[in-house]
Amino acid sequence: MEERVQISLLLDFYGNLLTEKQRDIMDLYYNDDLSLAEISNITNTSRQAIHDITKRCHKLLFQYEEKLFLLEKYLQRKKIIGRLNENIDMLINNTIDEDKKEILNKIKRDIEYI
Amino acid sequence: MEERVQISLLLDFYGNLLTEKQRDIMDLYYNDDLSLAEISNITNTSRQAIHDITKRCHKLLFQYEEKLFLLEKYLQRKKIIGRLNENIDMLINNTIDEDKKEILNKIKRDIEYI
């Protein structure tokens, strides 16, 4: 996985464990793809401070992942959900019974919320 | 949910964010149901320090939950999985086709790992 995507996902999972300022700066840097100089201007913070914050938060996010594995678990779950959907679609396409089809569609909707 | 059960689950989710000592003490107190005096003896730490650690970690665990909602999401997921299993069992019991039964059983096994 590309590092930018990885950091963006880690921010989704652990962003709330950062301070609001840290989260905002990481968001501008990794999600909005702004340069350190641009973030420095927007936030009225020195370029060096922005650099230090992104570096520190980068490390923090990976430390959280080493402890809680939320990204790893999410990726495993995503894989399983893909397989589940394939199998359910196969059953839906091979079922004539409308009641059974309805139950299979219910199952599919529930899986979306897992 | 009883508080002891709740703390025990929060320890499963966030225990790795505590120090090893904090985690051990919380485990002895909430999972093994030992008294402060017993934990004090085992860990060679004053009763007051054990009291302070359990109080502080209790607060920390709830703070993590307020930020990441892992327990809340787990309970929601558990509910959905219960409903999924009921629906799949219903389909299994009403299916004669062995191939379809096999796919439904595969789906059931996959759901266990979600």
Side-chain angles (χ1 to χ4, degrees):
Chain A
M1 188 189 297
E2 201 200 324
E3 198 191 57
R4 194 167 284 274
V5 179
Q6 195 177 8
I7 302 283
S8 183
L9 285 168
L10 289 174
L11 274 172
D12 285 344
F13 291 119
Y14 304 111
N16 282 346
L17 296 179
L18 305 178
T19 67
E20 199 181 332
K21 180 164 185 174
Q22 288 175 329
R23 201 164 50 238
D24 287 347
I25 288 169
M26 291 298 277
D27 191 42
L28 292 168
Y29 192 64
Y30 285 100
N31 290 327
D32 298 343
D33 209 10
L34 298 191
S35 69
L36 295 178
E38 286 169 317
I39 301 173
S40 168
N41 273 336
I42 294 174
T43 58
N44 219 0
T45 309
S46 76
R47 195 186 169 287
Q48 182 60 43
I50 301 292
H51 174 261
D52 293 348
I53 289 170
T54 56
K55 214 169 158 185
R56 171 159 167 64
C57 291
H58 184 282
K59 196 175 157 192
L60 270 175
L61 292 175
F62 280 96
Q63 280 174 345
Y64 286 133
E65 176 63 10
E66 269 174 36
K67 288 175 180 170
L68 300 188
F69 309 102
L70 297 185
L71 174 56
E72 191 181 317
K73 287 179 191 167
Y74 162 78
L75 293 174
Q76 282 172 352
R77 196 176 297 138
K78 212 177 147 189
K79 220 161 119 183
I80 295 175
I81 287 175
R83 202 162 56 210
L84 279 168
N85 278 327
E86 272 178 31
N87 280 325
I88 291 164
D89 284 341
M90 203 198 303
L91 288 172
I92 289 175
N93 294 332
N94 287 295
T95 301
I96 308 161
D97 186 320
E98 285 301 323
D99 289 343
K100 283 184 185 168
K101 257 191 184 166
E102 179 49 33
I103 296 174
L104 286 165
N105 279 312
K106 248 189 221 166
I107 289 173
K108 228 183 144 177
R109 283 196 297 276
D110 265 344
I111 284 173
E112 268 180 58
Y113 292 98
I114 265 181
Chain B
M1 189 188 299
E2 200 201 325
E3 197 190 59
R4 194 167 283 273
V5 179
Q6 196 178 9
I7 301 284
S8 183
L9 285 168
L10 290 173
L11 274 172
D12 285 344
F13 291 120
Y14 304 111
N16 283 347
L17 296 178
L18 304 178
T19 66
E20 199 181 331
K21 180 165 184 171
Q22 287 175 328
R23 199 163 53 238
D24 286 348
I25 287 168
M26 290 297 277
D27 190 43
L28 291 169
Y29 192 63
Y30 284 99
N31 289 327
D32 297 344
D33 208 11
L34 299 191
S35 69
L36 295 178
E38 286 168 318
I39 300 171
S40 167
N41 273 336
I42 291 173
T43 58
N44 218 359
T45 310
S46 75
R47 196 186 168 290
Q48 182 60 44
I50 301 292
H51 174 260
D52 293 347
I53 289 170
T54 56
K55 214 170 158 184
R56 169 157 170 64
C57 291
H58 184 282
K59 196 175 157 193
L60 271 175
L61 292 175
F62 280 95
Q63 281 174 344
Y64 286 131
E65 176 62 10
E66 268 174 37
K67 290 177 178 168
L68 300 188
F69 308 103
L70 297 186
L71 175 56
E72 192 180 317
K73 287 180 191 167
Y74 162 79
L75 293 174
Q76 282 172 351
R77 195 175 300 138
K78 212 177 147 188
K79 219 162 119 181
I80 295 176
I81 287 175
R83 201 162 58 210
L84 280 169
N85 278 327
E86 271 177 32
N87 280 326
I88 290 164
D89 285 341
M90 203 198 301
L91 288 172
I92 290 175
N93 294 332
N94 287 294
T95 300
I96 308 162
D97 186 320
E98 284 302 322
D99 288 343
K100 284 184 185 168
K101 257 191 183 166
E102 179 49 32
I103 296 174
L104 285 164
N105 279 311
K106 249 189 219 166
I107 290 173
K108 228 184 144 181
R109 282 195 298 276
D110 265 343
I111 285 173
E112 268 180 58
Y113 291 99
I114 265 179

